[in-house]
Amino acid sequence: MPITPATATHSPSNGTAEAILLELVDEDGVTIGTAEKLAAHQAPGQLHRAFSVFLFDERGRLLLQQRALGKYHSPGVWSNTCCGHPYPGEAPFAAAARRTYEELGASPSLLAEAGTVRYNHPDPDSGLVEQEYNHLFVGLLQSPLRPDPAEIGETVFVTPAELAERHAKDTFSAWFMTVLDAARPAVRELTGPSAGW
């Protein structure tokens, strides 16, 4: 698996961890600077660029992931296929494709832009805030998964009915319904009317 600042804590020979920087943006998504990842998520949060990916199998089922218990933000909750932050200067599409492979060990056979959504979601458990300008992507996944256990605890493909059932009983990320609802037009176009999204 490729090792990047997003998948590992860097430990240079001097013993210091390398800071992960996020791209700060204005309300129109224009880059205005950078901030260290944790600092950008501390209340009240700094608006930064992010991405969310929704991948489907050939039957139109959505791939969900349960975030690994070791993650500092929203550990153990269910969420969309993949989400994260581009490196400063990295195109959101490239970041989404890269991070999907890093987390799932598989690349989408198709990945398409599905718009953007801006939100502000505090996480009551950690006190962190998701203040994000989020680029949405939908796609198809046809290869076997090899999830990175440091990132993902479990994966499951769900129909809309199965998602509704799971959403009623399990804990999901604070941003999940916001990004799914924003991506729905593109999801419906990708999966067709019979999938029910």
Side-chain angles (χ1 to χ4, degrees), residues 69-150:
L69 291 174
K71 292 183 79 71
Y72 78 92
H73 188 357
S74 302
V77 304
W78 287 91
S79 200
N80 49 294
T81 309
C82 179
C83 55
H85 308 93
Y87 299 137
E90 182 181 26
F93 184 93
R98 169 183 59 77
R99 196 72 186 122
T100 298
Y101 180 78
E102 289 172 353
E103 289 193 9
L104 297 170
S107 294
S109 56
L110 171 78
L111 190 64
E113 294 183 3
T116 59
V117 63
R118 192 263 197 250
Y119 54 78
N120 177 0
H121 286 300
D123 175 27
D125 293 331
S126 67
L128 299 174
V129 178
E130 288 292 359
Q131 184 89 254
E132 294 186 333
Y133 187 94
N134 199 304
H135 297 258
L136 307 171
F137 299 92
V138 299
L140 298 174
L141 188 65
Q142 296 172 307
S143 49
L145 301 177
R146 294 182 315 281
D148 177 355

Side-chain angles (χ1 to χ4, degrees), residues 24-56:
L24 300 180
V25 298
D26 66 15
E27 292 293 337
D28 297 316
V30 176
T31 303
I32 57 171
T34 60
E36 191 277 323
K37 184 178 180 181
L38 188 55
H41 287 90
Q42 288 171 336
Q46 294 174 276
L47 184 59
H48 59 275
R49 194 176 309 284
F51 63 83
S52 289
V53 178
F54 297 86
L55 297 182
F56 296 82

